[in-house]
Amino acid sequence: MTTTAMLRAFCDAVEQRNGRAFADLFTDDGVYHDVFYGAFAGRDKIAAMVDDWFYRTAMDFRWDMHDPVSNGTTLYARYTFSYTSTLPEANGSRAMFEGVAIMTLRDGKIVNYHEVANTAPAFVDLKFAPERIAKIVGKQGAELKARPEMKRHRA
C-alpha cells in the first residue's frame, strides 16, 4: 500500500466509524497515542478508541492528511481534523484543529502513532469556558513534557 493510500484508509476509517479497518493499519503490538485520550495499545484497543471513545462525544468526523514525508520507517504528515461535538455545552458546534502526525512504520504497518496538535482553538469553537480550556491545555502540556522521547528535543 502506498503512503497516500494508507493515509486515506486511516482517515476514511475514522470518518466511517470503522475501528477494525483503522486497527488493521497497525501492527499487532501497535500503539496509538491520542492527544486527548492517551495511549491505546494493540488492535482491539485501537479499534475501540475509534468506535467508542471518538464517537462518545462527537460525530461527523473529517480528517485530512497533507504533505506526507517518509523514509520508509518514519512518516510525518500535517493534518486537519474536525468533528461536530455532541457535548451539551457545545450546542452542536463544529470543532477543528491542525496537527502533525508522526508514525513509526514496520513492514507497511503503523507501530507507533504520535501527534502534536494545537487543540485550544477547538475548545474555543466548542464554547468551553476559559477556565476549562486552561485546565485541558495545561494537562496536555504537562503530559508532553513528561514523554521521554520529547526530552531529547528540548534545548
Side-chain angles (χ1 to χ4, degrees):
M1 180 181 304
T2 68
T3 298
T4 302
M6 182 184 74
L7 292 175
R8 188 67 259 156
F10 183 98
C11 296
D12 287 348
V14 171
E15 292 174 2
Q16 297 164 11
R17 195 177 187 171
N18 189 342
R20 183 52 45 205
F22 187 81
D24 286 345
L25 296 168
F26 286 77
T27 59
D28 290 336
D29 61 341
V31 181
Y32 184 103
H33 299 270
D34 186 75
V35 72
F36 291 113
Y37 301 119
F40 293 80
R43 287 184 176 153
D44 288 342
K45 289 185 179 174
I46 292 169
M49 176 194 65
V50 171
D51 293 338
D52 302 331
W53 288 82
F54 281 15
Y55 281 84
R56 186 174 294 173
T57 59
M59 61 184 194
D60 302 326
F61 287 88
R62 176 67 186 191
W63 201 344
D64 290 302
M65 297 282 183
H66 311 281
D67 305 320
V69 176
S70 179
N71 65 3
T73 58
T74 304
L75 169 62
Y76 296 93
R78 290 183 314 103
Y79 69 77
T80 51
F81 184 81
S82 66
Y83 58 89
T84 301
S85 176
T86 58
L87 291 169
E89 67 266 38
N91 295 319
S93 295
R94 187 141 189 96
M96 191 281 291
F97 58 92
E98 297 177 293
V100 175
I102 306 159
M103 300 177 214
T104 304
L105 307 173
R106 181 175 67 224
D107 300 325
K109 299 277 186 182
I110 303 165
V111 179
N112 273 294
Y113 173 93
H114 290 274
E115 59 191 348
V116 178
N118 183 5
T119 58
F123 298 128
V124 172
D125 293 343
L126 295 176
K127 301 172 181 59
F128 282 15
E131 299 79 24
R132 187 169 180 195
I133 295 170
K135 183 177 178 183
I136 293 167
V137 172
K139 180 182 175 199
Q140 289 174 348
E143 289 171 356
L144 183 62
K145 287 179 185 175
R147 289 191 358 212
E149 69 273 16
M150 298 308 287
K151 290 183 182 184
R152 67 176 179 261
H153 299 291
R154 281 193 241 147

